[in-house]
Amino acid sequence: MDLLLEPSSWAILAAIGFIAGFIDAVAGGGGLLSIPALLTTGIPPHVALGTNKLAASFGSSMSAFTYYKQQFFTPRFWYQAAIATFIGAIFGTGVVYLIDNQWLEKWLPLMIIFIAIYTLVKPNAMGSPSFSAPTQAPAKVKQWIQGLLLGFYDGFAGPGTGAFWTISSVSQYKLPVLESCGLARSMTCISNLTSLVVFFALGQVNITIGLSMGLCMMLGSFVGARTAIKFGVSFIRPLFITIVILMAINLAWSAWA
């Protein structure tokens, strides 16, 4: 699908792509910036979702690779979660293409607000000094439940998937925050790529815009992941809470205003 854009529109998409990639690498939620930006170009909603998956795949791949290279993610421990995420994303993407998801738009802000409150009031919500990286693969059942649910959600809707992965991983597996971020970015990479394949098959991707925005997201994700690794939880926690609260406000305004 071709779409002629003004140079100013390309510049805006590039800037938003970089910022969205940075945010996604640290806290998740970059899609709340990139999807509205794509919609303003005039492309249909389903094409905006598919194009965003193309762009987001660049960003999540870069941030996942960065956490892996810095030894904050061990793939052999999480292949059960990866398979479950893959399956969940296929179903989620298929469902969102077929049905109207207005009911989710109403309830999603409440879910995001819950995450913000939980992170604020629970001292160990973003990890604890006593938490340590796993030395063996966590329970298969937990991985499958988490992967199926969050994979489906990312394929179906997407906003806040990284935040859901980060918080649930700390809670379930007692992961340190950087290991939780590494897991979150890797699993969102899988669900992004899976959804992208489905959207491609359905002809719902603008390749030119997606590739251009994706390169900017990749750069933003690299900078964001390196920044998070350098400054740790003292940087991640306040930014995470801020992004989650802004996500909740944005979603609530869109759904209820």
Side-chain angles (χ1 to χ4, degrees):
M1 178 179 181
D2 295 323
L3 187 68
L4 184 63
L5 298 180
E6 296 291 331
S8 59
S9 297
W10 284 112
I12 292 171
L13 288 178
I16 290 177
F18 178 87
I19 297 169
F22 183 94
I23 290 172
D24 228 29
V26 179
L32 289 177
L33 292 177
S34 56
I35 292 175
L38 288 167
L39 288 171
T40 62
T41 66
I43 61 179
H46 282 114
V47 178
L49 290 174
T51 303
N52 182 68
K53 288 299 181 185
L54 175 57
S57 294
F58 279 82
S60 57
S61 298
M62 173 56 73
S63 55
F65 179 73
T66 303
Y67 282 108
Y68 167 72
K69 288 295 288 183
Q70 295 296 317
Q71 300 182 337
F72 291 112
F73 178 69
T74 306
R76 70 178 185 274
F77 291 164
W78 301 104
Y79 69 91
Q80 299 286 346
I83 296 171
T85 300
F86 170 75
I87 294 172
I90 291 176
F91 282 101
T93 306
V95 170
V96 74
Y97 184 72
L98 295 174
I99 69 170
D100 184 355
N101 63 348
Q102 286 186 351
W103 65 271
L104 179 64
E105 294 175 356
K106 298 290 186 181
W107 287 99
L108 186 56
L110 301 180
M111 297 162 60
I112 300 291
I113 289 169
F114 173 79
I115 285 184
I117 295 173
Y118 178 82
T119 307
L120 283 168
V121 302
K122 189 173 176 60
N124 294 335
M126 296 298 292
S128 165
S130 63
F131 294 174
S132 59
T135 56
Q136 60 184 7
K140 293 180 181 180
V141 173
K142 287 185 177 181
Q143 291 194 47
W144 271 89
I145 292 174
Q146 186 184 28
L148 284 172
L149 290 176
L150 294 180
F152 181 91
Y153 171 72
D154 198 21
F156 184 76
T161 303
F164 287 129
W165 268 109
T166 300
I167 289 296
S168 62
S169 298
V170 170
S171 175
Q172 285 198 96
Y173 311 119
K174 306 301 180 188
L175 294 182
V177 66
L178 289 175
E179 276 75 5
S180 184
C181 286
L183 174 61
R185 302 294 84 76
S186 299
M187 294 304 113
T188 53
C189 177
I190 291 171
S191 54
N192 280 334
L193 289 171
T194 304
S195 295
L196 174 61
V197 171
V198 177
F199 276 116
F200 259 128
L202 296 170
Q204 301 295 314
V205 180
N206 185 304
I207 297 175
T208 303
I209 294 177
L211 289 176
S212 302
M213 199 171 190
L215 292 175
C216 298
M217 277 195 176
M218 181 180 285
L219 179 59
S221 294
F222 176 78
V223 175
R226 300 289 291 194
T227 303
I229 292 168
K230 180 177 181 180
F231 295 104
V233 70
S234 61
F235 170 77
I236 295 173
R237 188 174 191 274
L239 181 60
F240 181 91
I241 293 172
T242 301
I243 295 301
V244 167
I245 291 173
L246 290 176
M247 276 196 291
I249 294 172
N250 177 283
L251 291 168
W253 179 263
S254 299
W256 298 97

